[in-house]
Amino acid sequence: QVQVIESGGGLVQAGGSLTLSCTASGRTGDLYAMGYFRQRPGKDREFVAAVGWPGPYTNYADSMEGRVTISKDNGQNTIYLRMDSLKADDTGVYTCAAAMNIAAVRNAPRYWGQGTQVTVSS
């Protein structure tokens, strides 16, 4: 079994930055990628970014590239999502996912976290 736990959500002012973190634990031997999705109010869940290893390799949603940076802690199954220039429209629940590779994270993650709320005040 794999547990995926996010942290770092909260309230931030528009224009500010926020870093989310996510750790996968348990039977992680087959995990080589993790990433984030978000669900904004009234909208479908959407892919944000993913990182795969070894490498590391990164992949970003076109709409987010340039404002987010995803990275991985060396030797740990912990990833970080740094978001800059946040807008009120970025408000939503950000959920971490883990899978065998980046394509699997994007299309059919096997493991999900519970999600963390990010609220951007205008």
Side-chain angles (χ1 to χ4, degrees), residues 16-96:
S17 298
L18 193 67
T19 298
L20 307 180
S21 62
C22 175
T23 297
S25 61
R27 299 174 65 90
T28 60
D30 292 334
L31 295 183
Y32 294 95
M34 295 172 67
Y36 276 94
F37 290 75
R38 70 177 183 178
Q39 187 160 20
R40 297 177 286 173
K43 299 185 179 180
D44 294 333
R45 183 166 59 193
E46 59 183 334
F47 171 75
V48 175
V51 57
W53 56 90
Y57 313 102
T58 57
N59 187 251
Y60 295 94
D62 290 343
S63 61
M64 302 295 294
E65 194 156 13
R67 293 199 300 124
V68 298
T69 303
I70 194 164
S71 60
K72 179 183 180 292
D73 197 352
N74 287 336
Q76 304 289 329
N77 290 324
T78 297
I79 67 169
Y80 304 94
L81 182 73
R82 177 180 170 89
M83 301 183 287
D84 298 311
S85 303
L86 285 164
K87 303 175 286 188
D89 192 45
D90 292 315
T91 294
V93 177
Y94 286 69
T95 305
C96 183

